Amino acid sequence: MPEQPATPPGDAETTAARTGTGATAGPARKAATIYEVARLAGVSHQTVSRFLRKDPTMRPDTVRRVSEAVRALDYRPNLAARSMRTRRTNRVAVILPDSTSFVPNRLLRGAAAAAHEAGYLLDVVGLEGDATARAARIGTLLQPENVDGLLSFAALPDNIAALAPAALRVPLVVEGEYDDNMRSRGVLADATPAAEIVAHLAGLGHRTFLHVAGPSSWPSARNRRAVYESAVAGLGLVSHAVVEADWSVRAGWDAARDVVAGSPVTAVFAANDQMAFGVIRGLQSVGVDVPGRVSVFGWDDDELGRYFDPPLSTVSVDRERQGWVAFGRLLALLRGEAPAAPPLTSGGINRLVPRGSVGPAPTSVS
């Protein structure tokens, strides 16, 4: 038998108006209350509160009924009232290096989506200086009474407890995917797909490769080059050359015209899509067919690649999922729950996307 909800005076009339069982609601109808959700679901308002806290002990049937009632009434938790009861702000600060040239938008979108679902708002803060300076500023700018937790996509020092003791009075998760110059690190610098690219091209008959690498100062560029070289050697293939470039379209253009044209190379792996675009256009400018004579693979899944001629084969990086998982780790700390799943492996956020820029190796190279 379902639990009997506690309905405050006047609530039944409001519910009837909203669900169509009574008078029609006017244009300025009030937002649904937790008591209305409880009444529609046939449970107590305490049970709805447990649902909103994602209590893992709730019965599946109860979860289903409350979830349906929340959707039917378009219920939105009153964060201000909850803050007064729990002394929580329902706000989380996201820390980035102070940079005007780059912001990890997809990471932030994933974290924001997870935060919204959990009833939290994100305050994005760019902090100047190196990791040590950022840690010190956290203690002065982000007091615990202003936020419930901290999520940092910028590196922080190991001795942050000494530099910013106030920061540790709230849960802290350091994802640290970018260094002080916004160079990708950690999971986002994982180069495992480079071996998959080489194996995919080898399966199409390619034996002689060129790698257009990113700057060696970038961990992601170094890792992709190292995995590429290991994969080529492990499969008994030939690396005609490795050209270190600067991530730009022009660098790919130059590599194609200076190295590939007239060489035995039939496959090019560029460390990002921009350089891959340059490689394709550079080859086409000297009459080399892509993919008939040379196949080209990039990395990043730039939207332009889907509409390029030919469409660019690439590595899709699910940064939104990474941001979602990062916030999930912080949410577990905020709720005092078991730690979230471990950081994603390459197979979780990186996926090969073969398209028209890759084909079988030519039977002869002229």
Side-chain angles (χ1 to χ4, degrees), residues 3-362:
E3 301 174 61
Q4 294 303 310
T7 306
D11 228 38
E13 180 180 351
T14 308
T15 302
R18 186 172 288 103
T19 60
T21 57
T24 303
R29 69 184 180 186
K30 296 186 296 183
T33 69
I34 194 172
Y35 297 98
E36 293 176 275
V37 174
R39 181 181 180 84
L40 187 59
V43 298
S44 67
H45 71 276
Q46 292 93 338
T47 297
V48 178
S49 294
R50 288 172 56 207
F51 169 85
L52 296 173
R53 295 195 303 270
K54 299 186 183 298
D55 186 338
T57 66
M58 292 182 66
R59 295 193 301 271
D61 180 64
T62 303
V63 171
R64 177 187 58 77
R65 286 187 285 125
V66 177
S67 179
E68 290 175 353
V70 166
R71 287 197 300 272
L73 297 175
D74 194 25
Y75 174 70
R76 297 286 188 275
N78 188 327
L79 298 185
R82 183 192 300 176
S83 178
M84 292 177 65
R85 292 193 306 270
T86 64
R87 296 190 179 183
R88 286 183 176 273
T89 67
N90 291 97
R91 307 186 78 91
V92 166
V94 176
I95 308 301
L96 299 176
D98 186 29
S99 172
T100 58
S101 61
F102 178 74
V103 174
N105 290 319
R106 286 190 286 175
L107 274 173
L108 288 175
R109 279 202 301 270
H116 175 75
E117 183 174 285
Y120 283 84
L121 299 176
L122 295 187
D123 294 325
V124 180
V125 181
L127 295 182
E128 298 177 352
D130 59 15
T132 300
R134 276 197 298 276
R137 288 183 63 79
I138 285 175
T140 59
L141 296 181
L142 302 173
Q143 298 301 317
E145 60 267 22
N146 298 327
V147 295
D148 294 336
L150 301 174
L151 173 59
S152 180
F153 286 121
L156 295 175
D158 293 335
N159 63 336
I160 185 173
L163 295 170
L168 298 189
R169 291 203 292 268
V170 298
L172 166 67
V173 167
V174 181
E175 193 69 10
E177 293 298 344
Y178 293 91
D179 65 16
D180 296 327
N181 295 311
M182 298 305 287
R183 298 167 180 162
S184 59
R185 310 178 339 137
V187 173
L188 293 183
D190 183 10
T192 305
E196 299 174 34
I197 290 172
V198 172
H200 180 82
L201 292 166
L204 293 172
H206 295 278
R207 293 293 177 267
T208 305
F209 290 69
L210 170 76
H211 178 43
V212 184
S216 59
S217 60
W218 287 64
S220 53
R222 293 197 304 271
N223 294 349
R224 290 169 198 176
R225 175 174 180 169
V227 173
Y228 158 80
E229 291 176 333
S230 176
V232 167
L235 293 173
L237 306 173
V238 176
S239 178
H240 179 73
V242 173
V243 178
E244 183 174 328
D246 63 1
W247 301 122
S248 70
V249 174
R250 179 57 185 264
W253 171 284
D254 291 341
R257 293 172 61 91
D258 296 343
V259 181
V260 181
S263 78
V265 170
T266 65
V268 178
F269 163 39
N272 79 334
D273 284 353
Q274 295 299 308
M275 293 190 296
F277 294 147
V279 168
I280 292 175
R281 296 298 295 132
L283 290 173
Q284 292 172 336
S285 72
V286 294
V288 175
D289 181 59
V290 178
R293 164 64 175 79
V294 176
S295 290
V296 180
F297 229 109
W299 190 302
D300 279 336
D301 199 13
D302 188 302
E303 184 178 12
L304 175 61
R306 305 172 199 177
Y307 309 102
F308 208 67
D309 185 18
L312 180 62
S313 299
T314 188
V315 175
S316 176
V317 183
D318 193 348
R319 291 188 175 91
E320 289 191 29
R321 184 180 176 193
Q322 174 68 10
W324 181 286
V325 169
F327 185 84
R329 292 169 55 201
L330 178 59
L331 186 61
L333 293 177
L334 288 168
R335 292 175 170 171
E337 299 173 350
L344 293 169
T345 61
S346 169
I349 66 168
N350 295 326
R351 177 175 57 88
L352 259 62
V353 184
R355 295 193 182 112
S357 66
V358 165

